[in-house]
Amino acid sequence: MSRKRAHENGDQEENGDIEVKRERLDEAESPGELPDGRAIIKHEDVDDAEDDKPVWSLRKAQAEQPSRQCPFLGTIDRGVLDFDFEKLCSVSLSQINVYACMVCGKYFQGRGTSTHAFTHALDVDHRVFLNLSTLKFYCLPENYEIIDPSLEDIQYVLKPTYSKAHIKAIDLNTKLSIAFDDTKYYPGIVGLNNIKANDYANVVFHALSHVTPLRNYFLQEENYASLKRPPGDILGELPRRFGELMRKLWNPRAFKAHVSPHEMLQAVVQCSAKKFQIIQQSDANEFLVFLLNKLHEGLNGTRKANSSVIFKTFQGKMRVYSRKVLSVDTTDEARSTLLESEEFKEKVEEIPFLKLTMDLPSSPLYRDEQLNNIIPQVPLTTLLAQFNGVTEKEVKTYKANYLKRYELLKLPDYLIVTYTRFEKNRFFLEKNPTIVNFPINNVDLYDCIAPGARADHKYTTYDLHANIVHDGPPEGGIYRVQLAHAGTGKWFELENLHVKDILPQMITLGESYIQIWKLNKTKTRKERVDDVEDIDTTASEPAPAPVLPKP
C-alpha cells in the first residue's frame, strides 16, 4: 500500500509540476520563449489577421511607444517604387497578403518566418516592407510595424485620395506638379505606358479622364467601392480598376510623370473574354463602346436615363424615321399596292444614344487635272445635316434596304462623335482619309433638334474637349489624343508616354476619329443670338464722316 500511495503521490507531484510549467509558460511574454530562456522554433503562417498583430518581441515596447523609430528608413528608394502593376508575389504569383520591398520595389508574399518576404529580407538585407492591402509598413526580419509620418507620401502614391474640396479645385489648377524624379507635369496630362499594342485603349482612357462628371465620380472611391454584384460576376472589377486609373492619372504627388494601365487592361481582357488584348491592336471606337456599356453594367445601371454616371453624362435621345425601300424589279401595279401596305409605311421610334456616328463621303478614286484635292475635305456642318430630320440615309441589311431620317430630341452634357473612317470589304480593311473641318468652339446643334423639342434646350452650343486621331494604315496605324486642359486653357497632345503642348490650329489637320464635345452653358442660345445681332447692327451702321480741319 505504501508503494502504491507513493506512486500515486509521485504522479500527483509530476502532474502538479506539469501544471506549474503550463502556468509559467502562459505567463511568459511570448509563446515562443520558455521561462529558462530556451526558444521554441515556430513557423508563422501567412494570415492577414496574424500579420496585423505586432510580433511578441516588441509588444510591450510598442504598447509603451507606438511611434517606434526604425533605423532602416534611410534605405528606402522611392525611385524604384512602382505600384501600377498587378499585386502578385514575384515568387509564388499569389495575390494573398502581398508586401512590397521598399528598397528594390519587388513584391513578396507574407512576412512570417517561412514566407518569401522574410527570406528576401535575410538574403539581401532589405528591411522595410509595405503591405499593399492594409498600407502598413513593417521591418523584417525583426517583424515590427513602422509608424512614421515621413512614409505618408508612399501610401498616397499607392492609394491616392481626394476630398470634395480638392475635386472642385482641380479644373482651376494652373500650377505644375513636380514628380520625385524632378519631372514637371500637370495632373491629368501624363503619359500612359504602351505595354505592347494598347495605344487604342490609352487614348480612350485619356479622353474619358477629362470628362468632368465622370472623373469626379471615380475620384471618390466610396461611390463604387461597396457595389454588390452577383456571385462569380467579373464586371464589378472593371469600375474599381477604372477608378484606380483615374486617381493615378490625376495624382498631384506622383513619383513619376507617367502611369502604366496594366491592372486596368487585365480587367478589360477578362471582362471582354479576350476580345481586347494588350498584345494586339484593336479599334478605339469599338473599345469605347465596350467600355462605356460594361462600366454602366458594372455600376448596376439599368435602362433608365439616370441609373449610372455613364448615362447621366453621355446619353441623349433621338427620333428615327424609317421606311422600307421597294425592290428595283417591282412593277408599277405592285408598287402602288405595296406602298399602301403596313410593311412599307414610314415608322417612327424614339431611341437613346451614347454617341453619334457620322458618315464620311467616299474619297475620290482619281486626282483632278491640277492634282489638287488629293486628300478630300468636308465641313462638320455638312456631316451634321445627317441629323436635321430631312436628310435621308440608306441603310442596307441582309433582308432589305431602308431609308432613315434622324433628328435629336435631347442633347447630352457631353456629346461623343465618331466618324466612319474604317470600312471592311470582302478582301481587306479600308480607311477613308477625308479630313473633317470643324471649329474648336461654338458648334451649334440647334438645327439638328426636332422642332417640338427646341424650346426645351436653352443651351445648344458645344466646345471640343477631346480629339482622338488615327495615323497610318488601318491595321498598323497608331492613335494619339489631343486634350484641352481646363485650368490653363492650353491644348496638349499625348501619344503613349510622349506629352507635348500644341496650338489649337493644329487639331483640325489630323484624321479625327473620335471626338468628345462639352455643352457650353455659359450663355443660352438666345443670349448668343442677341450678341450676334448686336455685332451685325453695329457693323451695318455707316461710319461717321471725318471732320476736316478748317483752312
Side-chain angles (χ1 to χ4, degrees):
M1 287 293 293
S2 61
R3 291 181 179 179
K4 184 177 181 181
R5 289 179 179 176
H7 183 69
E8 292 176 354
N9 292 335
D11 292 343
Q12 292 176 359
E13 291 176 0
E14 185 177 355
N15 292 335
D17 293 338
I18 293 175
E19 294 297 332
V20 171
K21 290 180 180 180
R22 289 178 178 173
E23 293 176 359
R24 291 178 180 176
L25 184 60
D26 293 339
E27 292 175 357
E29 291 184 1
S30 150
E33 182 181 355
L34 292 174
D36 57 0
R38 289 179 295 151
I40 297 177
I41 299 177
K42 180 182 179 181
H43 295 285
E44 297 183 11
D45 56 353
V46 184
D47 183 71
D48 288 335
E50 291 295 330
D51 284 345
D52 290 338
K53 298 179 182 178
V55 74
W56 66 267
S57 60
L58 289 176
R59 282 179 182 173
K60 187 175 181 180
Q62 287 187 345
E64 296 175 355
Q65 188 181 2
S67 59
R68 182 178 178 84
Q69 297 294 327
C70 178
F72 304 105
L73 295 183
T75 63
I76 296 177
D77 187 1
R78 287 170 170 80
V80 301
L81 300 182
D82 191 350
F83 302 121
D84 294 341
F85 293 95
E86 199 169 2
K87 309 301 187 294
L88 297 175
C89 174
S90 59
V91 180
S92 65
L93 301 182
S94 173
Q95 296 179 339
I96 303 174
N97 200 21
V98 180
Y99 288 77
C101 176
M102 295 291 98
V103 183
C104 65
K106 295 181 179 179
Y107 295 167
F108 299 96
Q109 185 182 20
R111 74 168 196 273
T113 55
S114 61
T115 59
H116 300 297
F118 189 90
T119 306
H120 177 74
L122 292 177
D123 288 344
V124 295
D125 197 28
H126 293 175
R127 301 299 189 91
V128 185
F129 292 80
L130 169 63
N131 188 306
L132 298 179
S133 299
T134 63
L135 276 68
K136 294 182 178 181
F137 291 88
Y138 294 91
C139 181
L140 297 180
E142 289 82 358
N143 204 1
Y144 61 85
E145 182 181 353
I146 304 171
I147 303 176
D148 194 285
S150 65
L151 303 175
E152 188 271 338
D153 62 331
I154 300 178
Q155 294 173 328
Y156 191 86
V157 170
L158 175 58
K159 191 175 182 179
T161 56
Y162 300 82
S163 63
K164 293 183 178 179
H166 183 194
I167 293 175
K168 289 182 179 180
I170 284 181
D171 289 336
L172 303 176
N173 178 45
T174 59
K175 297 181 180 179
L176 288 165
S177 297
I178 303 178
F180 179 76
D181 57 359
D182 293 333
T183 304
K184 296 181 180 180
Y185 68 97
Y186 287 106
I189 308 293
V190 296
L192 274 174
N193 186 24
N194 188 357
I195 302 172
K196 183 67 177 180
N198 56 277
D199 56 319
Y200 72 93
N202 289 349
V203 292
V204 173
F205 294 149
H206 269 308
L208 294 181
S209 70
H210 282 258
V211 177
T212 302
L214 191 69
R215 178 201 64 194
N216 294 350
Y217 177 86
F218 280 99
L219 287 183
Q220 292 183 294
E221 189 178 6
E222 59 270 17
N223 290 335
Y224 50 90
S226 59
L227 289 175
K228 295 182 179 180
R229 299 291 302 170
D233 183 80
I234 59 176
L235 287 181
E237 188 70 11
L238 199 64
R240 286 192 287 269
R241 294 301 186 190
F242 187 75
E244 290 178 3
L245 182 61
M246 291 298 103
R247 294 195 298 273
K248 290 178 180 178
L249 286 174
W250 289 93
N251 185 3
R253 300 160 55 186
F255 286 169
K256 56 187 184 303
H258 64 271
V259 177
S260 178
H262 190 274
E263 289 185 298
M264 177 62 194
L265 291 173
Q266 290 287 354
V268 167
V269 172
Q270 187 178 13
C271 294
S272 66
K274 298 184 179 180
K275 178 182 179 181
F276 300 101
Q277 299 186 22
I278 304 174
I279 59 176
Q280 184 178 355
Q281 184 72 280
S282 296
D283 185 83
N285 181 29
E286 295 179 1
F287 177 72
L288 174 63
V289 174
F290 160 82
L291 184 60
L292 292 179
N293 284 285
K294 294 304 178 182
L295 284 176
H296 173 72
E297 294 179 25
L299 295 172
N300 294 330
T302 61
R303 293 185 178 183
K304 295 182 179 180
N306 295 326
S307 57
S308 75
V309 67
I310 304 296
F311 278 15
K312 290 179 182 178
T313 306
F314 298 110
Q315 190 182 71
K317 184 181 289 187
M318 69 168 59
R319 182 180 291 138
V320 181
Y321 302 87
S322 61
R323 59 186 178 89
K324 192 174 181 180
V325 180
L326 291 172
S327 175
V328 180
D329 301 332
T330 307
T331 62
D332 294 339
E333 296 179 359
R335 182 182 298 273
S336 58
T337 304
L338 291 174
L339 288 177
E340 296 178 358
S341 64
E342 191 68 26
E343 181 181 1
F344 287 88
K345 286 184 178 180
E346 189 175 61
K347 299 179 181 178
V348 182
E349 60 177 341
E350 297 180 1
I351 60 174
F353 67 89
L354 287 180
K355 67 183 184 70
L356 294 181
T357 301
M358 299 189 183
D359 296 329
L360 295 176
S362 300
S363 56
L365 297 177
Y366 307 99
R367 302 179 183 180
D368 59 9
E369 296 179 356
Q370 289 78 24
L371 297 180
N372 295 327
N373 298 328
I374 299 175
I375 300 178
Q377 301 183 19
V378 59
L380 180 61
T381 53
T382 302
L383 301 181
L384 286 174
Q386 302 173 18
F387 302 93
N388 59 9
V390 178
T391 305
E392 289 187 325
K393 173 185 176 182
E394 185 175 2
V395 179
K396 297 181 179 181
T397 63
Y398 290 103
K399 296 181 179 180
N401 296 343
Y402 295 87
L403 288 177
K404 293 189 176 184
R405 296 182 291 122
Y406 306 91
E407 59 183 3
L408 305 182
L409 297 176
K410 179 185 176 183
L411 296 179
D413 290 340
Y414 285 82
L415 177 66
I416 301 177
V417 175
T418 60
Y419 303 103
T420 55
R421 201 161 288 281
F422 302 101
E423 184 177 357
K424 292 182 180 179
N425 54 34
R426 294 183 178 180
F427 304 101
F428 54 88
L429 184 66
E430 190 176 7
K431 181 180 178 181
N432 190 330
T434 302
I435 300 296
V436 180
N437 297 323
F438 54 89
I440 296 177
N441 299 317
N442 301 328
V443 175
D444 197 351
L445 268 65
Y446 181 80
D447 294 335
C448 299
I449 304 175
R454 291 176 180 176
D456 300 331
H457 292 78
K458 293 182 179 180
Y459 309 98
T460 60
T461 305
Y462 282 89
D463 299 332
L464 185 63
H465 210 57
N467 184 46
I468 296 177
V469 180
H470 183 271
D471 298 320
E475 296 181 350
I478 57 174
Y479 288 96
R480 52 190 171 95
V481 60
Q482 297 158 343
L483 302 171
H485 186 254
T488 60
K490 297 180 180 179
W491 279 88
F492 292 87
E493 183 175 273
L494 297 90
E495 183 181 336
N496 297 324
L497 295 178
H498 303 285
V499 180
K500 64 178 181 180
D501 55 339
I502 61 173
L503 295 175
Q505 295 82 354
M506 303 295 294
I507 297 175
T508 59
L509 302 180
E511 299 176 4
S512 299
Y513 187 31
I514 304 173
Q515 295 177 335
I516 299 181
W517 297 80
K518 180 182 179 182
L519 188 63
N520 192 327
K521 296 184 178 180
T522 56
K523 289 185 178 181
T524 64
R525 172 176 170 77
K526 185 177 183 305
E527 292 173 344
R528 291 179 182 276
V529 172
D530 293 341
D531 291 344
V532 173
E533 291 178 352
D534 292 341
I535 295 175
D536 292 342
T537 303
T538 304
S540 61
E541 293 178 355
V547 179
L548 299 177
K550 295 180 179 180

